[in-house]
Amino acid sequence: MTSTGTGISHSEKAHGPQEVHFCQIWASARPGEGRGKPAYFTRHFSDADKRNKLRLIVAPSNSSDVSLAREADGPAPIRSQLRAYASLVDPGVSIAHAFHPSRSPDLRKAYIHIVQRSGYNTGKAI
């Protein structure tokens, strides 16, 4: 996760012969802690961590379970009251989510991004 803070320059390149599959979502979250320095955080979550459950992957930087280290366990920090979850859901499985109780009902919002593998194209990108 990249936190832009006061601004960043950004570029990416996949290294090596292995295929790379990733989903990149650029989101703007209203800062709760002001504008800080740009920062980059790497977190790894196994498929087992996400299988048929919501796994917290991003949380407010002042949360007790968040590390501000560049590479660490647990959710990546964000300077906002945003929480992001990831999951791998098997067919026929349902997952429920309760919004954080400290948020007023009129501020509670959810965004769901579904990535499917059916119809995946293994050919060259066009």
Side-chain angles (χ1 to χ4, degrees):
M1 186 185 84
T2 302
S3 177
T4 59
T6 56
I8 62 167
S9 294
H10 175 73
S11 65
E12 295 178 7
K13 180 175 178 167
H15 296 278
Q18 297 289 345
E19 283 187 7
V20 175
H21 304 271
F22 69 98
C23 179
Q24 185 174 55
I25 300 172
W26 289 76
S28 176
R30 185 176 308 152
E33 299 175 21
R35 295 175 57 147
K37 291 181 179 178
Y40 181 80
F41 303 99
T42 301
R43 302 296 190 260
H44 299 278
F45 302 96
S46 71
D47 287 356
D49 285 340
K50 300 173 288 192
R51 177 75 55 203
N52 296 322
K53 60 187 170 193
L54 293 173
R55 176 63 163 99
L56 184 63
I57 60 171
V58 174
S61 58
N62 60 359
S63 298
S64 61
D65 56 347
V66 171
S67 170
L68 300 178
R70 180 175 173 149
E71 294 194 26
D73 292 329
I78 189 168
R79 297 178 191 117
S80 178
Q81 289 304 305
L82 179 134
R83 287 172 175 77
Y85 299 84
S87 185
L88 298 170
V89 184
D90 292 329
V93 173
S94 295
I95 298 175
H97 172 73
F99 282 95
H100 197 270
S102 67
R103 298 297 308 250
S104 65
D106 58 329
L107 295 176
R108 297 178 189 175
K109 297 179 182 173
Y111 167 78
I112 299 173
H113 185 94
I114 299 172
V115 179
Q116 301 182 125
R117 293 203 302 182
S118 64
Y120 178 73
N121 178 9
T122 57
K124 265 189 116 115
I126 50 174

